[in-house]
Amino acid sequence: MSRAFTFLVNPNSGGGAAPKVVVPLARQLREAGAEVEVSYTSSPAVVPDLVKAAVAAGRVVVSVGGDGMLSSVAGAVVDAGGELAVIPAGRGNDFARMLEVPTDEAGQVALLLEGTPTPVDLLAVTSPGSAPTLVAGSVYAGVDARIAQIVDRSHWLPKALQYPVASVRGLATYRPVELTVEVDGVSSTHRAANVVIANSKYYGKGMAIAPGAVVDDGELDVIVIEAAGRVGLIRSLPKVYDGAHVGLDEVTVLRGTRVTVSGSYAGGGAAVPVGADGEALGDLPASGEPLTVEVRPGAIKILR
């Protein structure tokens, strides 16, 4: 029996690339006998209702966009008890990279028609006073979130240059953060450039920030990059693309199932930004109730 699909497409992803991706893909699936419904939306508020209707109709939900779109869809799919497929069409596409989703049309058609629903972990992120938010790839605080803010304002640059330019600009102006990190009850303090809590090894458009991360091992990889000189951080940036940075003395790697983080910039000032899968997630608590990230093992079934 052929599968049925509901494509949820963010028309703004990848500078408008998503619709160009989905139209020929949907045509090929229909020619192969599959039922395909396509909904375009850039509003996370309407995603739960669209997902609920798709799952009730027995359709596989297909996220077409970037990592932010994927995370907004994934939580709704979990709540509805459905199955998800991922088609990359954003700027970073890091979770799709982690899942080894084909980048060619023929490969994507084969994945959708023949892929096996496979349990994959998600992250549950809780900020003080708010309900948990499900995230697919990673949560980060410090210079990484600052870089993401710069990327969001860099649409005038070619897509290939947005992350590299933002990385250099963010590192050149970064401030150290006084962090308290607790992993499964064991606490440590750091004067750091940033902290990343990862389910996927990739973020920032292909940076292997957590090279040991696996999306179905029931654990989180925590990467703390200690504060260093701006020039040193910029020079070490290329190491992040192949994961070699974890061998540096300035990098601490921790693993566990529950992580809490709090902190503030050394010397005070503005709150430290927090991001998740390319989207802003508020500010890091300086004291009191911390930011909490917990792994949800096998929370969602994704075609692989």
Side-chain angles (χ1 to χ4, degrees), residues 221-248:
D221 283 46
V222 183
I223 311 297
V224 182
I225 299 179
E226 306 289 346
R230 293 187 179 94
V231 173
L233 283 173
I234 292 171
R235 285 178 175 171
S236 65
L237 180 62
K239 294 181 181 292
V240 182
Y241 283 92
D242 62 6
H245 65 290
V246 297
L248 298 173

Side-chain angles (χ1 to χ4, degrees), residues 177-257:
V177 180
E178 303 288 355
L179 288 174
T180 298
V181 179
E182 184 179 290
V183 180
D184 291 349
V186 179
S187 182
S188 58
T189 59
H190 308 266
R191 184 180 175 88
N194 67 293
V195 58
V196 183
I197 305 160
N199 181 38
S200 166
K201 68 188 289 184
Y202 297 111
Y203 84 156
K205 198 173 183 180
M207 294 181 182
I209 188 65
V214 180
V215 295
D216 57 2
D217 63 352
E219 287 194 302
L220 305 171
D221 283 46
V222 183
I223 311 297
V224 182
I225 299 179
E226 306 289 346
R230 293 187 179 94
V231 173
L233 283 173
I234 292 171
R235 285 178 175 171
S236 65
L237 180 62
K239 294 181 181 292
V240 182
Y241 283 92
D242 62 6
H245 65 290
V246 297
L248 298 173
D249 293 340
E250 296 82 6
V251 178
T252 299
V253 181
L254 306 167
R255 290 178 64 82
T257 60

Side-chain angles (χ1 to χ4, degrees), residues 2-3 5 28-29 32-34 108-115 303:
S2 181
R3 281 176 171 148
F5 303 94
Q28 288 217 32
L29 289 169
Q108 291 173 353
V109 170
L111 171 67
L112 292 172
L113 293 177
E114 303 167 13
L303 298 189

Side-chain angles (χ1 to χ4, degrees), residues 16-100:
K20 298 175 184 177
V21 170
V22 75
V23 170
L25 190 58
R27 182 178 64 248
Q28 288 217 32
L29 289 169
R30 290 178 178 126
E31 289 174 352
E35 295 181 23
V36 180
E37 176 184 82
V38 180
S39 294
Y40 292 90
T41 180
S42 57
S43 172
V46 305
V47 166
D49 287 340
L50 293 173
V51 168
K52 186 176 180 180
V55 173
R59 296 173 178 267
V60 176
V61 177
V62 185
S63 173
V64 185
D67 294 306
M69 176 68 172
L70 167 61
S71 282
S72 70
V73 171
V77 171
V78 171
D79 291 341
E83 296 175 353
L84 178 67
V86 181
I87 297 298
R91 286 178 298 186
N93 304 317
D94 287 301
F95 204 72
R97 183 177 288 106
M98 184 67 185
L99 297 176
E100 299 182 338

Side-chain angles (χ1 to χ4, degrees), residues 105-171:
E105 188 176 299
Q108 291 173 353
V109 170
L111 171 67
L112 292 172
L113 293 177
E114 303 167 13
T116 301
T118 304
V120 170
D121 303 342
L122 293 176
L123 310 179
V125 187
T126 307
S127 300
S130 66
T133 298
L134 291 181
V135 172
S138 62
V139 179
Y140 39 87
V143 69
D144 306 70
R146 173 61 182 148
I147 289 169
Q149 291 174 336
I150 296 171
V151 169
D152 284 340
R153 297 197 295 267
S154 301
H155 296 287
W156 56 275
L157 282 171
K159 286 193 295 182
L161 294 178
Q162 288 174 0
Y163 276 100
V165 170
S167 296
V168 172
R169 287 183 59 194
L171 291 172

